Amino acid sequence: MTQGDPQPLVSVIVVNYRGAEDTITCLRTLGTGLDYENVELICVDNASGEDDVARIRAAVPAVKLVESPVNTGFAGGCNLGAKHAEGTVLGFLNNDARPAPRWVSAAVAELRAQPAVAAVASKVLDWEGTGADFVDAGLTWFGMGYKRHAGSPVAEVPAAEHEQAKDVLFGTGSAMFVRTAVFAELGGFDERFFMFYEDVDLGWRLNLRGWRVRYLPESLAFHRHHGTMSAVDAPETGRETFLLERNALAALYKNLSGESLARALPAALALAVRRATARGGLDPDQLDLEKGVGPVETDDVAVPRTTLAGVLAIDRFVELMPSLAASRAVEQAARVRTDADLLPLLRKALEPAYPLPDYLRAHEILVEAFGLEAGFGHRRKILVLTGDSITERMAGPAIRAWNIASTLAAEHEVHLVTTNPLVSPPPAAFRVSSGKHRDLDAPIDWADVVILQGHVLELAPSLKKRHEHKIVVADVYDPMHLELLEQGKGVADDQRSLDLAGVTKVLDAQLLRADFFLCASERQRHFWLGHLAALGRLSPRLYDADPTTHSLLAVVPFGLSPQAPVRTGPGLRAALGLGGSDRVVLWAGGVYSWFDPLTLIRAFDLLRERRDDARLVFLGMKHPNPEVTEMDIGARTVRLADSLGLTDKHVFFNEQWVPYTDRQNWLLDANAGVTTHYEHVETTFAFRTRVLDYLWAGLPIVTTDGDSFADLVRAERLGVVVPAEDPAALAAALEKSLYDEEFAAGCVSRIEGVAQRYAWPEALKPLVEFCRDPRPAADRLPGSADLTTTPAVRGRELVRRDVELVREYLTAGGPSELARRVGGRVVKVARQRLRRG
């Protein structure tokens, strides 16, 4: 922490119940033994009675003492303390614990450095510092949270287990920190737990919402384990066992997904019964007639308290289920992480936890009977949404969505949905369907991650409201508003402005909502970073979480098949009647207004004078998606070719779109590929996907300068780059690519290596990695808030500041400037009061 760096106020909450002596020792250490000054001490007395309150108040007068009229347990006491806290960070410390000097400062440094960390789990040793109390967290499939290595001499615990920071499922309530705003967002500890496992439940819920809980060995505390509990109760009463058993079931019921719960809960209930009978040594066969008929006995059977505790815990869990069901609905709606995501944090989910022979036998039976080894390994559900038609004839957006779905389907359960009514897809290893906006709620409900492109977010309003926390990936490889600048030239000026504003609004909504973005090139990445910054999305919280921003915005270019093209039928020569010796250059894609096919036609008019066997083929003039309007540039291109006498002699227009699965046959019939465009802003950030087809088929590339692929062609020597709107230079480039065999062979050789970099599995790697561990963006985590704020100016400082401002305004512009500034301030204050009212 640098000099003058503001320190967050940390409110440390200590709950007292008939333990005044320990509590006073703890509070005094907090008051004098820390290297962090900005601490608020809060002590909650849980209706101890006698003289505890008076003793604590007299011994530690600086503490904020909160008296609860009833004993609400550790969970309720902590929540009551949090309601009285003013800090942006809450520290929880058991009254029978003492902090090391860096307990607070280390935790605060971690929270400030890691905006996605909601809670810091302190390292906790025994009172002497020789034994491990909390150095890691674990959770069994039946809901029992436990402290791994607890009770072991710390010298015997592997150093990697206790000396290194790591993510954990939960921290121990005996010494931990939570961001105040996040604690409030989750409603604090669940007071139904009273004590035990309320910390497990809180950490579990934090992780489900995408937050991280971080074990930090530098934040150290020492704990006299069960110091308070042993003073008010004894293990033989069964009360502790009752709470542990009941609360484990409650945590399981609230937080497991529906699929996992269906397997785990029946087995957990059965195992709880066996645990109870095994713990108490109860004879399970004493009422079994099959074991023999003896004298009629109707006397009560003695049931040990340890057995009774387990049975009563199940009974009270059932009683809690109606209220737990409401909480479960909240947790399941808010979760963004799957059970499989959290499996590594469970450490050993199949750990039996109790070394009792009868119990271990039942554990083995239930694990096998309910298939629990695979019960936490459900595949993630990923929804891919596109607005393009999914048919045999697919255009760029559909091709991209299709390959995203295909690649992710290797690891996840994928559903590809288009909002376009045209759906007749090729065979696929994933679900494909279509639906209008009213049909999207069901697949969105189903999904863990939603990947969308184009205008789809506007058709799925639930992603902005009911599913505002669901993880969304926005594919912004197509800067639609830049295309519209060129595409809308033929529209009335006012409508053109409205259209542009509408498309920009659509993109803005995506940029504000999504957790992860895909763009097609480094040029686009710079463009979208600027857009995100202008929208205020590049906040300090996002920057602090990842200064590189690669975890927010990744380059995922359009890809190509990893398999080389193989001919499966006739291609363009047969379809258009071209000879085997004709030299063919291919325009592989649609003709849109941001392209420049007119210069290409004029160049071919020059080329045919020297090369009578040169042919230019336009792969598809009619877009397969009927919602894409026809553009005038296509008709102008045909008219120009007609007027020059080129049509069906040197220039050929394929009116229908070539089926996606047949395009390789057309590509393999060509000798070179071409793309030409104008010099404008759309070109600067465009990613011409047709060029990838040229790479896939090994075709030398002729391209106009100005876009990212032109840079690639020039740098890797894959063809010829020409200036915009220069027919002579373009004709020369086409001639070189078609007829200079040595040059063309060199291009083809170099293209082979470059093409491998653009294969779909390689191109989609950032998305694949994100989907393996998807998390909300740091600024979209629920309960995010500033840890440090600027203190309000009051009293003499306020007067001094205002006097200085008056002088400044008078110097800058005299009385008129002063009047203007004062008027503006009055309006601002009035608006603030109206908002508060």
Side-chain angles (χ1 to χ4, degrees):
M1 216 172 273
T2 61
Q3 188 68 29
D5 193 13
Q7 294 182 331
L9 176 63
V10 179
S11 300
V12 179
I13 298 167
V14 178
V15 177
N16 177 71
Y17 181 69
R18 301 181 183 177
E21 185 173 342
D22 282 342
T23 300
I24 290 168
T25 301
C26 176
L27 290 171
R28 282 176 170 168
T29 306
L30 286 167
T32 61
L34 299 175
D35 66 359
Y36 191 90
E37 296 179 357
N38 204 14
V39 173
E40 176 189 40
L41 294 184
I42 298 174
C43 179
V44 176
D45 183 77
N46 247 340
S48 298
E50 299 182 352
D51 60 351
D52 277 35
V53 170
R55 289 176 60 191
I56 294 168
R57 181 174 284 119
V60 193
V63 72
K64 182 186 286 186
L65 196 55
V66 180
E67 297 182 60
S68 175
V70 294
N71 180 11
T72 56
F74 180 78
C78 287
N79 286 351
L80 181 59
K83 290 175 183 176
H84 288 80
E86 296 181 14
T88 57
V89 177
L90 300 174
F92 298 103
L93 189 66
N94 273 11
N95 73 320
D96 53 358
R98 59 183 170 89
R102 292 194 62 216
W103 180 62
V104 175
S105 60
V108 167
E110 186 73 5
L111 289 172
R112 296 190 70 183
Q114 302 276 3
V117 170
V120 169
S122 300
K123 177 178 183 176
V124 184
L125 302 179
D126 63 16
W127 198 253
E128 293 74 28
T130 58
D133 185 303
F134 182 88
V135 295
D136 196 10
L139 183 77
T140 67
W141 62 266
F142 48 91
M144 288 284 183
Y146 64 100
K147 299 185 286 189
R148 300 184 70 231
H149 307 298
S152 301
V154 73
E156 297 178 9
V157 178
E161 288 285 284
H162 72 93
E163 291 181 357
Q164 296 177 9
K166 58 192 171 186
D167 285 358
V168 292
L169 184 68
F170 59 89
T172 172
S174 62
M176 65 181 288
F177 297 85
V178 186
R179 296 175 186 269
T180 303
V182 182
F183 191 77
E185 173 75 18
L186 269 68
F189 291 119
D190 189 332
E191 296 187 18
R192 288 167 297 195
F193 284 54
F194 192 76
M195 63 189 300
F196 302 130
Y197 290 178
E198 73 290 316
D199 47 9
V200 177
D201 172 68
L202 179 70
W204 199 344
R205 290 187 286 140
L206 286 170
N207 274 286
L208 286 176
R209 282 167 166 79
W211 284 101
R212 294 163 59 200
V213 179
R214 192 79 170 153
Y215 166 77
L216 193 69
E218 293 80 9
S219 177
L220 176 64
F222 304 90
H223 184 214
R224 190 181 291 112
H225 187 63
H226 273 40
T228 299
M229 189 68 182
S230 61
V232 299
D233 196 26
E236 295 78 16
T237 66
R239 294 190 180 103
E240 180 177 341
T241 300
F242 166 81
L243 289 173
L244 291 170
E245 293 284 351
R246 185 199 65 179
N247 293 352
L249 292 170
L252 191 79
Y253 181 69
K254 282 174 62 179
N255 298 312
L256 271 188
S257 69
E259 298 96 325
S260 298
L261 189 67
R263 291 185 185 219
L265 184 58
L269 291 167
L271 190 63
V273 173
R274 174 59 68 90
R275 196 160 47 244
T277 59
R279 192 189 290 116
L282 199 67
D283 178 8
D285 294 324
Q286 59 185 299
L287 303 181
D288 188 350
L289 280 175
E290 188 180 351
K291 301 299 180 181
V293 179
V296 174
E297 295 182 8
T298 58
D299 295 341
D300 292 340
V301 176
V303 177
R305 281 179 169 269
T306 49
T307 297
L308 184 62
V311 175
L312 293 181
I314 296 173
D315 179 82
R316 292 301 89 186
F317 163 67
V318 171
E319 191 69 19
L320 282 176
M321 284 187 78
S323 69
L324 288 173
S327 300
R328 171 175 171 74
V330 171
E331 300 309 322
Q332 298 307 310
R335 69 184 295 158
V336 297
R337 307 278 282 158
T338 69
D339 296 336
D341 290 336
L342 301 191
L343 191 58
L345 299 182
L346 273 56
R347 307 305 190 219
K348 296 181 179 180
L350 296 179
E351 174 69 44
Y354 295 90
L356 303 170
D358 284 351
Y359 167 79
L360 291 174
R361 187 165 59 255
H363 183 274
E364 185 177 334
I365 291 169
L366 291 166
V367 166
E368 182 175 352
F370 286 87
L372 292 166
E373 285 198 54
F376 292 85
H378 296 292
R379 281 155 61 94
R380 183 170 289 105
K381 299 166 185 173
I382 295 182
L383 175 65
V384 182
L385 291 173
T386 182
D388 217 17
S389 56
I390 305 291
T391 67
E392 293 285 348
R393 293 175 166 84
M394 286 190 281
I399 293 170
R400 186 169 169 91
W402 181 271
N403 281 282
I404 286 172
S406 180
T407 301
L408 294 177
E411 298 182 22
H412 312 286
E413 191 175 346
V414 177
H415 186 185
L416 173 60
V417 176
T418 176
T419 57
N420 194 289
L422 286 182
V423 180
S424 55
F430 48 88
R431 251 178 94 197
V432 184
S433 65
S434 74
K436 290 298 183 184
H437 66 275
R438 60 181 176 276
D439 305 316
L440 297 181
D441 281 351
I444 288 171
D445 287 345
W446 166 86
D448 299 313
V449 178
V450 178
I451 303 171
L452 53 82
Q453 58 179 207
H455 293 75
V456 173
L457 182 60
E458 300 310 301
L459 304 178
S462 67
L463 285 172
K464 300 178 185 178
K465 297 175 184 176
R466 185 161 56 91
H467 291 303
E468 62 177 328
H469 296 309
K470 193 166 289 261
I471 292 177
V472 170
V473 178
D475 185 7
V476 291
Y477 88 101
D478 181 9
M480 300 181 293
H481 48 346
L482 300 186
E483 289 182 352
L484 199 61
L485 287 169
E486 188 66 29
Q487 185 179 344
K489 278 185 174 179
V491 179
D493 290 345
D494 59 342
Q495 186 59 48
R496 187 181 179 198
S497 296
L498 287 172
D499 290 345
L500 181 62
V503 170
T504 304
K505 184 178 179 182
V506 167
L507 287 169
D508 285 351
Q510 290 185 35
L511 296 175
L512 290 169
R513 170 61 180 87
D515 299 284
F516 188 53
F517 299 94
L518 314 179
C519 64
S521 66
E522 283 296 336
R523 284 193 185 193
Q524 279 194 8
R525 188 168 190 277
H526 296 155
F527 172 77
W528 289 119
L529 281 174
H531 204 145
L532 287 163
L535 287 172
R537 200 60 211 278
L538 287 189
S539 62
R541 193 169 294 121
L542 258 179
Y543 177 82
D544 290 348
D546 176 16
T548 72
T549 68
H550 286 299
S551 61
L552 177 71
L553 175 60
V555 175
V556 175
F558 211 92
L560 50 85
S561 171
Q563 285 79 41
V566 176
R567 186 179 292 281
T568 58
L572 64 85
R573 294 180 188 268
L576 302 174
L578 304 186
S581 62
D582 288 341
R583 311 300 291 175
V584 178
V585 61
L586 183 64
W587 175 284
V591 179
Y592 311 128
S593 52
W594 48 88
F595 288 112
D596 178 19
L598 303 178
T599 298
L600 178 59
I601 296 294
R602 295 187 181 99
F604 238 81
D605 189 40
L606 297 176
L607 180 60
R608 67 156 171 179
E609 295 177 1
R610 303 191 297 271
R611 302 288 187 174
D612 186 60
D613 60 346
R615 304 288 183 262
L616 170 63
V617 174
F618 287 86
L619 188 70
M621 298 298 290
K622 186 174 178 59
H623 199 283
N625 184 353
E627 295 181 357
V628 175
T629 56
E630 296 293 330
M631 299 181 195
D632 180 59
I633 188 66
R636 290 170 60 198
T637 303
V638 173
R639 286 199 301 269
L640 179 59
D642 289 345
S643 69
L644 296 173
L646 296 171
T647 305
D648 294 336
K649 296 177 182 177
H650 292 276
V651 178
F652 296 81
F653 298 100
N654 181 52
E655 290 299 327
Q656 296 301 317
W657 208 264
V658 173
Y660 180 59
T661 52
D662 290 343
R663 73 195 192 288
Q664 74 277 4
N665 299 321
W666 288 60
L667 289 162
L668 291 172
D669 270 358
N671 303 102
V674 66
T675 179
T676 54
H677 40 254
Y678 296 105
E679 186 177 354
H680 48 49
V681 69
E682 189 277 338
T683 294
T684 304
F685 298 106
F687 192 85
R688 310 299 185 200
T689 57
R690 64 197 61 198
V691 177
L692 290 168
D693 280 338
Y694 305 152
L695 292 177
W696 184 46
L699 300 178
I701 301 163
V702 177
T703 178
T704 308
D705 204 355
D707 66 1
S708 56
F709 267 127
D711 294 342
L712 179 72
V713 170
R714 182 186 295 108
E716 302 286 350
R717 295 180 296 137
L718 309 180
V720 185
V721 179
V722 298
E725 300 183 76
D726 189 335
L730 182 54
L734 292 169
E735 186 171 23
K736 186 176 183 65
S737 299
L738 290 173
Y739 295 96
D740 186 334
E741 293 184 2
E742 183 179 352
F743 172 78
C747 292
V748 171
S749 176
R750 290 184 288 274
I751 283 170
E752 185 176 352
V754 173
Q756 294 174 4
R757 306 202 309 249
Y758 286 90
W760 279 114
E762 186 68 25
L764 289 169
K765 271 185 177 179
L767 178 61
V768 170
E769 288 300 319
F770 178 83
C771 288
R772 284 175 179 162
D773 187 25
R775 293 179 182 271
D779 63 332
R780 294 197 66 258
L781 286 161
S784 292
D786 295 328
L787 286 182
T788 58
T789 56
T790 305
V793 181
R794 295 186 177 90
R796 292 180 180 178
E797 285 299 319
L798 180 61
V799 173
R800 187 178 296 112
R801 187 199 66 182
D802 286 348
V803 169
E804 290 298 323
L805 285 174
V806 168
R807 288 175 180 166
E808 180 183 333
Y809 299 153
L810 286 171
T811 302
S816 61
E817 177 68 9
L818 176 62
R820 187 179 70 82
R821 295 281 191 158
V822 170
R825 185 171 174 183
V826 168
V827 171
K828 181 179 178 181
V829 170
R831 285 175 177 167
Q832 289 173 342
R833 288 180 177 174
L834 281 172
R835 281 198 295 268
R836 286 197 294 268

